[in-house]
Amino acid sequence: TLLKTGKLRVLGEVGLDFSTGAPQPQIQISTLRWVLAMASQGGVPVVLHVRGGKDDVHSAQAHIQCIRQCRAILNKGHPIHLHCFDGGWEQAQQWMDNFPGVHFGFTGAVNAFSEDQKLAVVRIPRDRLLLESDAPYFRPAWVPRAGYGHPKYLAEVARGIAAIRQGATVDGALQEGGMNALRFYGLRV
């Protein structure tokens, strides 16, 4: 398998998404556990997608369920990238308490975050922040409704991070996000 070649950089995106009702939660959990077991065996990072239902503020319950599944299979030091993180400070803290090396990916949605979500952006260590376009989703607010997200809008994510984090700059957020991604994924430029 590809895992045995040593060339695989990451497994995912996989996780729990209760925002649509399909597939059924038990199928999602089963798939998540299967991928987590492969990531654990292969020693490769995992990219997690976590979304709660419409009444799950900041996807809090979905994060708790995902942490529970990860704790059952992964060791505490396993590298995790939380893709498109939409949690608040409490969810970020739960992840960091359970997986100290977790990284948090932020998209253009950061520009419309609640105060609790902004608190997470402020308190998450700088070396754990990743910038994401999540193209074609999460377009910047100024892109027409018929438009779509694109990697060329990554500076908008950095602008959102810089606006939230005291003393941060767009250039600094872009540079840190880039360096964090290179380090997390073991890439060289």
Side-chain angles (χ1 to χ4, degrees):
T1 68
L2 190 56
L3 268 175
K4 293 178 183 174
T5 68
K7 295 181 180 182
L8 190 66
R9 294 276 184 203
V10 65
L11 280 174
E13 156 187 0
V14 66
L16 302 176
D17 189 330
F18 304 129
S19 65
T20 64
Q24 295 176 342
Q26 212 42 50
I27 293 171
Q28 292 186 51
I29 291 169
S30 174
T31 302
L32 172 62
R33 292 179 65 88
W34 179 70
V35 172
L36 292 176
M38 281 194 300
S40 179
Q41 281 182 329
V44 295
V46 65
V47 177
L48 296 177
H49 171 101
V50 183
R51 280 292 163 275
K54 65 178 179 170
D55 296 327
D56 188 3
V57 178
H58 303 319
S59 303
Q61 294 306 311
H63 281 286
I64 288 169
Q65 178 70 292
C66 199
I67 289 170
R68 185 177 301 131
Q69 299 307 319
C70 288
R71 284 185 55 179
I73 296 170
L74 302 176
N75 68 52
K76 196 172 179 104
H78 197 93
I80 295 172
H81 169 174
L82 290 173
H83 162 67
C84 199
F85 185 72
D86 71 342
W89 171 237
E90 184 178 344
Q91 290 73 46
Q93 195 167 31
Q94 289 168 343
W95 277 104
M96 290 187 292
D97 288 348
N98 284 281
F99 297 95
V102 66
H103 283 61
F104 299 83
F106 292 99
T107 68
V110 74
N111 294 298
F113 270 8
S114 71
E115 290 306 310
D116 187 44
Q117 290 170 308
K118 288 178 182 177
L119 186 59
V121 173
V122 168
R123 290 186 174 172
I124 291 169
R126 290 183 344 193
D127 66 342
R128 302 300 167 73
L129 297 176
L130 299 171
L131 308 181
E132 303 177 348
S133 66
D134 198 32
Y137 309 104
F138 294 107
R139 62 180 169 60
W142 54 265
V143 172
R145 194 121 179 93
Y148 54 88
H150 191 281
K152 69 182 177 185
Y153 300 137
L154 211 52
E156 295 301 316
V157 180
R159 192 177 328 289
I161 297 285
I164 294 169
R165 291 180 73 101
Q166 193 82 20
T169 65
V170 174
D171 286 344
L174 282 168
Q175 185 173 8
E176 288 172 353
M179 295 304 293
N180 294 343
L182 290 172
R183 187 182 62 258
F184 183 84
Y185 287 105
L187 302 172
R188 294 187 189 146
V189 193

